[in-house]
Amino acid sequence: MEASREDRTEERRALLREVAADVDATAAYLGLEGLSPSVIKAMQKVPRHRFLPPESQHLAYANRPQRIGHGQTISQPFIVAVMSELAAVTPGARVLEIGTGCGYQSAVLAELGAEVYSVERVAQLALTAKERLGHLGYGKAIHIKTGDGAKGWPEHAPYSAIVVTATTNARVVADLLKQLAPGGRMIVPEVRAQKSPDGVGKKGGDVNDVPPFRRRLFSEPDTDLCLITKDNDGGCDSLRLIPVAFVPLVEDTSGS
């Protein structure tokens, strides 16, 4: 990977300490024991400031999302860490990413050893991300195309993991699951069809009863981060973990 002239290593380490503490505080809701060394190492290696517009680079190591143009955002580092952890990527795994954006999540997955196939709806974002990732040395590990993320990238299926970086619905989730390999995992922000009487995640309870810490991190009450696993017979289990806020997935409704 090409070294940045402005490395900002200490800022990155400070951010990762904050992210790891946030994961520890929500681990019971996420079904995690904490942030693994492999994810910490991957996120330490990726220079987040290189993925932001010049006017926003001074904000790169704040633990919050930032705008990247075209109505899109780079996800909060905490969310990137959680999604990467839940994907359980191993070296050589083939991963489908829906929503390339600036390419930051793609780079973290590549640092974990994945071969990433990423679909981006906005052509300019896809082009810029491809150029940026190439300059940073990820060109061989990350493949990007412009297209409708709701359709996935079936030519390279099946995938060991699918990571969706935009809010979507059950119909799109069901279609994407066809491209997930048996034993695979899908991480997706999914809109709730209706409010569940059992609440959100393992702990149950109404969203309004979520502790203040979680409300600070996850402000969107109608979308949950979901972990979906596929067994060897093709059956799927879905677990709603935490409420999250993502930009919506924009589907191609032209019929083409």
Side-chain angles (χ1 to χ4, degrees), residues 22 25-26 29 206-219 243:
D22 285 355
T26 54
Y29 298 97
D206 188 90
V207 171
N208 293 324
D209 295 328
V210 169
F213 175 84
R214 291 180 70 217
R215 288 203 300 270
R216 175 173 62 82
L217 290 174
F218 318 113
S219 58

Side-chain angles (χ1 to χ4, degrees), residues 4 14-15 40 43 55 62 85 89 97 101 123 128 139 156 158 173 188 200 225 232 252:
S4 171
L15 171 63
I40 292 173
M43 292 187 68
E55 65 273 15
E85 193 72 57
V89 172
E97 179 189 35
T128 302
H156 299 284
V173 168
V188 54
V200 179
L225 188 65
N232 291 330
D252 183 357

Side-chain angles (χ1 to χ4, degrees), residues 150-179:
K151 297 178 181 177
W153 200 337
E155 292 85 352
H156 299 284
Y159 300 96
S160 300
I162 298 176
V163 176
V164 182
T165 65
T167 297
T168 188
N169 56 55
R171 176 182 53 77
V172 172
V173 168
D175 287 343
L176 290 174
L177 281 171
K178 297 173 184 176
Q179 298 178 37

Side-chain angles (χ1 to χ4, degrees), residues 9-195:
T9 300
E10 290 307 316
E11 289 179 85
R12 214 172 304 160
R13 287 174 178 168
L15 171 63
L16 264 295
R17 287 193 292 269
E18 180 181 347
V19 168
D22 285 355
V23 172
D24 287 344
T26 54
Y29 298 97
L30 296 166
L32 299 173
E33 295 183 356
L35 203 56
S36 66
S38 60
V39 171
I40 292 173
K41 182 178 179 181
M43 292 187 68
Q44 283 178 336
K45 291 184 69 175
V46 180
R48 191 171 188 258
H49 61 283
R50 298 288 294 273
F51 293 82
L52 287 171
E55 65 273 15
S56 302
Q57 289 186 0
H58 66 290
L59 301 171
Y61 297 104
N63 190 16
R64 59 178 185 263
Q66 303 292 343
R67 290 184 174 86
I68 58 172
H70 304 278
Q72 304 299 304
T73 62
I74 180 175
S75 293
Q76 179 187 9
F78 168 80
I79 291 294
V80 173
V82 166
M83 295 182 81
S84 301
E85 193 72 57
L86 292 170
V89 172
T90 56
R94 184 176 298 174
V95 177
L96 173 64
E97 179 189 35
I98 304 301
T100 314
C102 63
Y104 178 64
Q105 174 75 81
S106 313
V108 172
L109 291 169
E111 286 289 357
L112 289 167
E115 183 172 10
V116 183
Y117 291 84
S118 189
V119 184
E120 173 54 53
R121 173 81 173 166
V122 181
Q124 185 57 54
L125 285 178
L127 176 61
T128 302
K130 186 174 184 178
E131 292 175 349
R132 178 185 295 116
L133 291 164
H135 288 315
L136 291 171
Y138 296 108
K140 292 183 179 180
I142 301 172
H143 315 276
I144 298 172
K145 77 167 185 176
T146 303
D148 183 359
K151 297 178 181 177
W153 200 337
E155 292 85 352
H156 299 284
Y159 300 96
S160 300
I162 298 176
V163 176
V164 182
T165 65
T167 297
T168 188
N169 56 55
R171 176 182 53 77
V172 172
V173 168
D175 287 343
L176 290 174
L177 281 171
K178 297 173 184 176
Q179 298 178 37
L180 185 66
R185 299 161 72 88
M186 180 172 176
I187 321 301
V188 54
E190 184 180 346
V191 175
R192 286 181 227 137
Q194 59 185 12
K195 184 174 178 180

